């Protein structure tokens, strides 16, 4: 069961979305709200953590970007939450920057329900969802970056050892640390150490950024 939170101030859109998702037997609507501040307060009070957050980019009380930043710099229990940005604004304008900040996907509010369901499942199980449009935007965003702007060092694959590169690829394919440990006949703790080293070397703050790194290095076709 995937636990879902929906934060959007457009009441009709939010209620319709909750209604659609509520029909899915493998999804559980943990909470819905119009207030980003209320959601952050809920997290601070140690409420049950959603597996996937569907987040509107522009809210009346706090910007969705600020919510994204606070989650990705928060405690470990909330940092790995999957975040799908839902917005009426074009992907081209915001998607590249939002992925840099740790978003796991970015979809238009005009997308088909089937695509949203696919995105929820892939974000939960693989850590990221990229449609063809998003892939092109990410590649284009990479070309525009300068040495002073990127938080992740996209340009130097030599940062990683051969083993770390292999592990990064398995992570991008959706394998868990336990599954990877079984492949390499090592402990799960060893894989977690490799994962930490990978994040430190490339400057990643989340699993989503490791996956983006693998995609941008053309080590994997998502």
């Amino acid at each position: 069961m995937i636990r879902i939170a929906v934060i959007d101030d457009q009441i009709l859109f939010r209620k319709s979305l909750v209604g659609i998702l509520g029909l899915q037997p493998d999804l559980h609507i943990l909470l819905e709200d119009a207030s980003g501040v209320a959601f952050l307060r809920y997290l601070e009070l140690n409420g049950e953590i959603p597996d996937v957050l569907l987040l509107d980019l522009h809210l009346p009380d706090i910007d969705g970007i600020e919510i994204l930043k606070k989650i990705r710099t928060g405690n470990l229990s909330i940092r790995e939450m999957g975040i799908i940005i839902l917005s009426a604004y074009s992907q081209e304008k915001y998607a590249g920057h939002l992925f840099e900040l740790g978003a796991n996907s970015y979809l238009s509010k005009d997308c088909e329900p089937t695509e949203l369901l696919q995105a929820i499942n892939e974000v939960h199980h693989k850590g990221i969802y990229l449609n063809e449009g998003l892939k092109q935007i990410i590649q284009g965003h990479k070309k525009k970056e300068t040495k002073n702007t990127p938080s992740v060092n996209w340009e130097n694959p030599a940062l990683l050892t051969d083993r770390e590169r292999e592990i990064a690829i398995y992570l991008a394919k959706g394998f868990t640390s336990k599954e990877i440990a079984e492949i390499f006949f090592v402990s799960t703790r060893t894989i977690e150490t490799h994962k930490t080293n990978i994040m430190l070397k490339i400057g990643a703050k989340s699993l989503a950024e490791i996956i983006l790194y693998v995609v941008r290095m053309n080590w994997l076709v998502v």
Side-chain angles (χ1 to χ4, degrees), residues 20 107 111-121 129:
I20 292 170
L107 293 177
C111 74
E112 291 289 339
T114 51
E115 183 177 20
L116 177 59
L117 293 174
Q118 181 183 356
I120 289 172
N121 276 283
Y129 172 73

Side-chain angles (χ1 to χ4, degrees), residues 157-169:
L159 286 170
L160 303 184
T161 66
D162 290 343
R163 177 52 57 89
E164 288 168 346
R165 172 174 166 160
E166 290 178 295
I167 291 171
I169 291 171

Side-chain angles (χ1 to χ4, degrees), residues 32-211:
E32 57 162 302
D33 209 305
S35 169
V37 171
F39 177 65
L40 291 175
R41 188 177 301 118
Y42 167 87
L43 294 178
E44 290 174 357
L45 295 173
N46 297 315
E48 188 175 359
I49 306 300
D51 297 308
V52 178
L53 166 64
L54 304 181
L55 178 64
D56 189 11
L57 190 59
H58 293 288
L59 297 167
D61 52 359
I62 183 172
D63 196 294
I65 292 176
E66 289 304 311
I67 295 176
L68 178 59
K69 289 179 179 178
K70 288 180 182 296
I71 290 173
R72 290 300 182 237
T73 57
N75 61 57
L76 189 60
S77 64
I78 68 170
R79 206 178 299 162
E80 291 296 324
M81 185 192 312
I83 301 176
I84 299 175
I85 302 295
L86 293 176
S87 178
Y89 293 87
S90 67
Q91 292 179 331
E92 289 82 358
K93 186 173 183 180
Y94 291 103
H97 180 57
L98 289 166
F99 274 108
E100 292 280 342
L101 294 175
N104 302 81
S105 192
Y106 185 111
L107 293 177
S108 166
K109 287 186 174 182
D110 291 330
C111 74
E112 291 289 339
T114 51
E115 183 177 20
L116 177 59
L117 293 174
Q118 181 183 356
I120 289 172
N121 276 283
E122 292 201 16
V123 164
H124 180 60
H125 295 292
K126 297 183 178 180
I128 197 167
Y129 172 73
L130 298 174
N131 57 29
E132 288 302 320
L134 288 172
K135 291 177 189 177
Q136 293 177 10
I137 290 168
I138 289 172
Q139 291 298 330
H141 187 73
K142 174 185 175 182
K143 294 177 182 178
K144 294 178 182 178
E145 291 172 343
T146 67
K147 293 181 179 179
N148 294 324
T149 55
S151 60
V152 175
N153 189 337
W154 307 113
E155 305 299 336
N156 189 2
L159 286 170
L160 303 184
T161 66
D162 290 343
R163 177 52 57 89
E164 288 168 346
R165 172 174 166 160
E166 290 178 295
I167 291 171
I169 291 171
Y170 275 113
L171 289 169
K173 289 180 177 179
F175 285 75
T176 66
S177 293
K178 182 180 179 181
E179 290 169 335
I180 299 170
E182 291 173 354
I183 292 170
F184 290 110
F185 301 101
V186 297
S187 68
T188 301
R189 188 171 185 177
T190 296
I191 298 300
E192 286 295 325
T193 299
H194 280 302
K195 180 180 175 182
T196 299
N197 290 338
I198 292 167
M199 294 176 73
L200 288 172
K201 285 183 176 182
I202 68 174
K205 300 181 180 66
S206 66
L207 175 60
E209 288 191 342
I210 293 178
I211 297 169

